[in-house]
Amino acid sequence: MSADDLSPVSITGKLKTRFIGQRVIYYPRLASTMDTARQEARQGAAGGTVIIAGEQTEGRGRMKRTWLSPRGNIALSIILYPEVSFLPYLIMIASLAVVHSIEAVTDLKPQIKWPNDILISGKKVCGILTESDVKGGRAACAIIGIGINVSLGLPDVAEISATATSLNDESGSKVSRVDVVRHVLTEVERLYLTLPDGEPVYEQWRDRLITLGKKVCVASGSDMLEGMAESVDRSGALILRHADGSSTRIVAGDVTLSDK
Ligand code: BTN
């Protein structure tokens, strides 16, 4: 078994989790792990089931953007059936799990840019997408999608090379994808099991955000807002303080730091 083998047995073999990753379904090539995870959830897949793709042909990101995930990287989705009150914490849990895992497997120092971009040296190394089906006030299912750039080869990704980076490029060595995946699944479970008390997760996520206290521009829908990123609330929304003293609560948007 190679250090880069993402087969279910190589992931679950040494995994010490109660439920997350105890069932892994691997596809060499898939449109998007989000869609397959949702289909699996609708067919009753167990909570904690993980869908992993060797490559995605229609990977998607936040705000209906495309997520490039050629071979050599990590693209996975985790199926959960949480209480509705847990939903705001899933993004925080996933972001923390990824930074803790990168720190455990490499010497790199990842940072979180609100809401859930993981950066190294100012460039994006991981994107996180959460989607949920809520019916009658209950979450029918929630899917956490995690895309980690481990080995980005030009020209596959020429269009994002100015803003994206990879674990191999940043560390100068070949990072084991299976190690990263195992750590991520273990950390997601550890943090998830701290709920329903979301306070520690919220505080750790807030304290790791590089966005707070900085002057930022936020693209939110068709609006472009400027101000000081003052705080985040427990639902994960960003509180932006404007020059005139007023504030805006932003639920979804793209932040550009004005003063790095
Ligand atoms: C973003 O930063 O915009 C979020 C990117 C999320 C990408 C991951 S890769 C695994 C899962 N499958 C997808 O199609 N998207 C997510």
Side-chain angles (χ1 to χ4, degrees):
M1 202 180 290
S2 88
D4 211 29
D5 177 12
L6 284 188
S7 67
V9 68
S10 69
I11 293 167
T12 54
K14 288 188 203 158
L15 198 64
K16 292 189 175 57
T17 56
R18 282 194 224 164
F19 71 108
I20 293 186
Q22 288 303 324
R23 180 166 178 234
V24 171
I25 310 176
Y26 173 80
Y27 294 85
R29 189 178 160 95
L30 207 54
S32 163
T33 57
M34 299 305 282
D35 298 335
T36 304
R38 192 173 287 237
Q39 285 157 16
E40 285 287 339
R42 285 182 181 152
Q43 288 163 18
T49 299
V50 175
I51 310 297
I52 300 198
E55 71 181 301
Q56 295 184 119
T57 52
E58 290 169 41
R60 61 172 187 272
R62 292 192 309 118
M63 329 260 256
K64 299 192 174 142
R65 279 186 297 238
T66 298
W67 178 263
L68 295 178
S69 47
R71 273 185 296 159
N73 298 289
I74 294 170
L76 65 82
S77 292
I78 305 170
I79 300 171
L80 296 168
Y81 302 101
E83 303 287 322
V84 172
S85 63
F86 291 9
L87 294 177
Y89 299 113
L90 298 184
I91 275 181
M92 305 176 196
I93 286 172
S95 307
L96 287 169
V98 170
V99 297
H100 293 164
S101 301
I102 293 174
E103 286 168 349
V105 176
T106 71
D107 293 331
L108 298 168
K109 300 271 170 275
Q111 297 174 308
I112 309 174
K113 181 168 78 108
W114 182 88
N116 53 8
D117 284 350
I118 312 300
L119 309 182
I120 296 176
S121 312
K123 289 185 169 187
K124 185 156 166 170
V125 74
C126 167
I128 293 159
L129 183 66
T130 57
E131 295 177 348
S132 55
D133 280 348
V134 177
K135 281 187 193 136
R138 285 192 58 86
C141 73
I143 315 287
I144 300 179
I146 299 176
I148 304 178
N149 301 331
V150 179
S151 153
L152 281 182
L154 289 168
D156 275 351
V157 294
E159 64 208 80
I160 56 166
S161 62
T163 52
T165 189
S166 71
L167 296 181
N168 285 358
D169 282 342
E170 293 296 325
S171 66
S173 59
K174 193 164 170 7
V175 173
S176 160
R177 288 186 302 167
V178 74
D179 278 357
V180 175
V181 169
R182 275 202 216 109
H183 272 93
V184 167
L185 300 180
T186 306
E187 274 297 282
V188 169
E189 178 173 289
R190 186 182 69 77
L191 294 164
Y192 187 76
L193 290 176
T194 66
L195 302 179
D197 178 11
E199 199 62 16
V201 162
Y202 160 71
E203 286 175 6
Q204 285 178 61
W205 173 73
R206 178 197 61 199
D207 293 349
R208 293 233 30 174
L209 288 173
I210 52 163
T211 316
L212 300 187
K214 303 242 171 72
K215 276 167 108 183
V216 295
C217 292
V218 188
S220 179
S222 54
D223 296 333
M224 182 60 89
L225 304 162
E226 270 185 32
M228 177 71 76
E230 188 173 82
S231 60
V232 280
D233 65 22
R234 280 162 185 74
S235 74
L238 179 69
I239 311 300
L240 191 65
R241 181 72 56 188
H242 304 289
D244 67 1
S246 64
S247 67
T248 307
R249 180 176 174 273
I250 302 167
V251 176
D254 260 331
V255 168
T256 313
L257 304 180
S258 311
D259 50 355
K260 282 191 181 173

